[in-house]
Amino acid sequence: MPFPFGKSQKNPAEIVRSLKENVAYMEKLDAGDSKKCEKVAEEVSKNLATLKEVLCGTGDKEPQTEAVAQLAQELYNTNLLIALIANLQRIDFEGKKDVVHLFSNIVRRQIGTRTPTVEYISTHPQILFMLLKGYESAEVALNCGMMLRECLRHEPLARTLLFSEELYCFFRYVELSTFDIASDAFASFKDLLTRHKIMCADFLENNYDRVSLQVCFTTFKRKHVHSVSNILLKMCYQVFTEYEKLLHSDNYVTKRQSLKLLGELLLDRHNFTVMTKYISRAENLKLMMNLLRDNSRNIQFEAFHVFKVFVANPNKTQPVLDILLKNQTKLVEFLSHFQTDRSEDEQFCDEKNYLIKQIRDLKRPVAPEEA
């Protein structure tokens, strides 16, 4: 089979080498030398466009399997993906788009059941952490977010990030003041917690188990912070502690999205154990009851979908039952007038009527000696 490059054209190895050299040169240049920076940036863009053509083909020409294989191997051998992400801020607008396109396509590439780029990134996890850190730079945040979500489609890569200390960066990024970046960060965070359901359910379940042990081990953790078990303990405590902060956020979008995601997680059958533990705690019920009275109707509505899980639970813990009984009359009255303008939403009306009936029928269990 003839190689798809003429005499005047560079093969994939040469293009990758040229791009790697130009990116390295760009990194060393003084930002004040605008002419040189512009010239090198132009060369980088040309290289990227050529690589994109090799990988994806053109309108009238399909990509050649042999050329794509060589290109992929050169990307791995030279660690060019790492260099591109590290210098993404220095690449022009169109070049950034080409980097995202190249990255996404090379990550999706399969050979039979293998995904070679996923295997490569698994051995170079700093790629994931660099993409996550991209949220700290407005110039590349959305580009990095797209590439990060492409990685999170693959369970081995999602697992690497989920079980890392870098996971907790999300709690800062979803609170960023720039709406587009915060929303993009939340989209990635949601993907991480919901896409691979069995893995995420296992992670959340283990986290919740360890949260309940946190008080007992606080002193022990401080003395032995380097041991594996205590690092895990710290991680597990942080997840729910940090997530609860999002529910108290002053940022409306963060608060609403976090509450909505909490409802989705609790109602997912894979998270039954986590749901059972969450709705057993009186503090969580109090939080939802407060959010039902939030100034925002949308937040009230999302809180309703978490609150209903507490009420519908046939095996309520005594502290939860005590709160519901103490507020029984007020809750029935409140729910009777709760968002009555949603009369066309049949499911909401049915659920609300069900909750009213459940709360109205609540009775304190009779003690054995009184029976």
Side-chain angles (χ1 to χ4, degrees):
M1 173 182 171
F3 203 74
F5 294 91
K7 291 182 180 178
S8 61
Q9 292 178 300
K10 294 179 179 179
N11 62 40
E14 291 170 330
I15 303 168
V16 169
R17 193 180 311 119
S18 175
L19 178 54
K20 183 76 184 287
E21 289 170 359
N22 284 324
V23 169
Y25 184 45
M26 177 190 284
E27 190 174 6
K28 294 175 184 175
L29 279 176
D30 185 344
D33 196 341
S34 57
K35 286 187 177 179
K36 281 187 179 180
C37 288
E38 190 176 325
K39 186 176 179 181
V40 177
E42 189 178 330
E43 287 300 313
V44 168
S45 289
K46 286 180 183 177
N47 293 151
L48 286 167
T50 306
L51 283 184
K52 181 180 170 184
E53 185 177 325
V54 174
L55 185 62
C56 308
T58 58
D60 58 350
K61 186 173 66 175
E62 289 292 317
Q64 299 294 318
T65 305
E66 186 179 346
V68 171
Q70 185 181 351
L71 169 60
Q73 196 56 51
E74 287 299 323
L75 289 174
Y76 308 148
N77 292 343
T78 60
N79 291 323
L80 179 59
L81 293 178
I82 296 174
L84 288 172
I85 296 168
N87 293 281
L88 197 58
Q89 293 182 75
R90 298 181 173 89
I91 299 173
D92 64 27
F93 180 77
E94 289 301 320
K96 287 185 180 74
K97 286 166 60 178
D98 284 340
V99 170
V100 173
H101 195 84
L102 280 166
F103 185 91
S104 299
N105 275 271
I106 205 72
V107 169
R108 292 176 200 160
R109 178 173 172 262
Q110 284 188 271
I111 301 175
T113 57
R114 287 182 57 229
T115 45
T117 308
V118 172
E119 295 170 8
Y120 168 77
I121 296 175
S122 292
T123 61
H124 297 79
Q126 68 266 39
I127 291 175
L128 295 170
F129 307 140
M130 289 168 71
L131 292 174
L132 180 60
K133 193 175 175 61
Y135 282 122
E136 296 177 11
S137 172
E139 294 175 315
V140 300
L142 302 185
N143 303 108
C144 288
M146 285 187 277
M147 291 188 280
L148 180 60
R149 284 191 295 281
E150 192 62 51
C151 292
L152 297 181
R153 291 162 60 93
H154 302 273
E155 188 170 325
L157 303 185
R159 178 179 291 276
T160 297
L161 184 52
L162 188 62
F163 287 89
S164 71
E165 283 290 331
E166 282 77 4
L167 168 69
Y168 305 102
C169 294
F170 272 117
F171 294 104
R172 282 191 293 114
Y173 299 152
V174 301
E175 290 267 47
L176 290 171
S177 58
T178 306
F179 174 79
D180 288 351
I181 298 175
S183 295
D184 198 277
F186 199 93
S188 298
F189 186 46
K190 181 178 179 180
D191 261 15
L192 183 61
L193 291 179
T194 59
R195 180 174 287 276
H196 308 285
K197 295 187 181 298
I198 295 174
M199 178 188 75
C200 292
D202 181 56
F203 173 77
L204 292 171
E205 183 178 333
N206 288 333
N207 283 353
Y208 217 109
D209 284 338
R210 292 175 187 274
V211 169
S212 63
L213 297 174
Q214 190 269 339
V215 175
C216 301
F217 285 99
T218 298
T219 305
F220 185 74
K221 274 197 312 181
R222 288 173 182 163
K223 291 180 180 177
H224 304 278
V225 70
H226 297 298
S227 75
V228 174
S229 60
N230 288 300
I231 289 173
L232 285 173
L233 188 61
K234 178 185 174 186
M235 287 172 61
C236 296
Y237 172 63
Q238 281 181 305
V239 170
F240 282 91
T241 300
E242 294 298 324
Y243 199 95
E244 187 169 333
K245 289 178 185 176
L246 299 183
L247 300 177
H248 290 282
S249 174
D250 293 329
N251 183 315
Y252 163 76
V253 175
T254 299
K255 191 173 184 178
R256 182 183 175 187
Q257 288 180 323
S258 301
L259 191 52
K260 184 178 177 66
L261 177 56
L262 175 63
E264 291 176 16
L265 289 171
L266 295 180
L267 292 171
D268 189 314
R269 62 185 178 84
H270 295 89
N271 297 325
F272 179 79
T273 304
V274 171
M275 180 269 288
T276 303
K277 291 174 181 175
Y278 187 86
I279 64 174
S280 70
R281 298 185 64 191
E283 306 82 44
N284 297 332
L285 173 59
K286 290 177 185 176
L287 175 59
M288 290 308 126
M289 288 170 65
N290 286 330
L291 290 174
L292 280 172
R293 302 175 64 187
D294 193 89
N295 293 330
S296 163
R297 286 172 49 79
N298 289 323
I299 287 176
Q300 292 173 9
F301 186 67
E302 298 302 343
F304 173 84
H305 288 299
V306 179
F307 174 74
K308 69 185 181 186
V309 187
F310 287 90
V311 178
N313 178 21
N315 301 306
K316 299 175 183 66
T317 59
Q318 193 59 50
V320 165
L321 182 59
D322 288 344
I323 291 173
L324 292 174
L325 285 168
K326 182 179 178 181
N327 296 276
Q328 189 173 30
T329 304
K330 290 179 181 178
L331 283 170
V332 169
E333 177 69 15
F334 175 81
L335 290 172
S336 297
H337 298 91
F338 182 71
Q339 302 203 358
T340 51
D341 56 334
R342 291 184 183 269
S343 56
E344 293 183 4
D345 186 339
E346 291 185 11
Q347 182 177 343
F348 170 72
C349 291
D350 288 346
E351 289 179 347
K352 189 172 75 163
N353 290 333
Y354 173 77
L355 294 192
I356 292 171
K357 183 179 185 306
Q358 289 295 309
I359 294 171
R360 186 181 286 131
D361 293 347
L362 282 176
K363 291 182 176 59
R364 192 173 298 280
V366 179
E369 58 273 15
E370 297 175 14

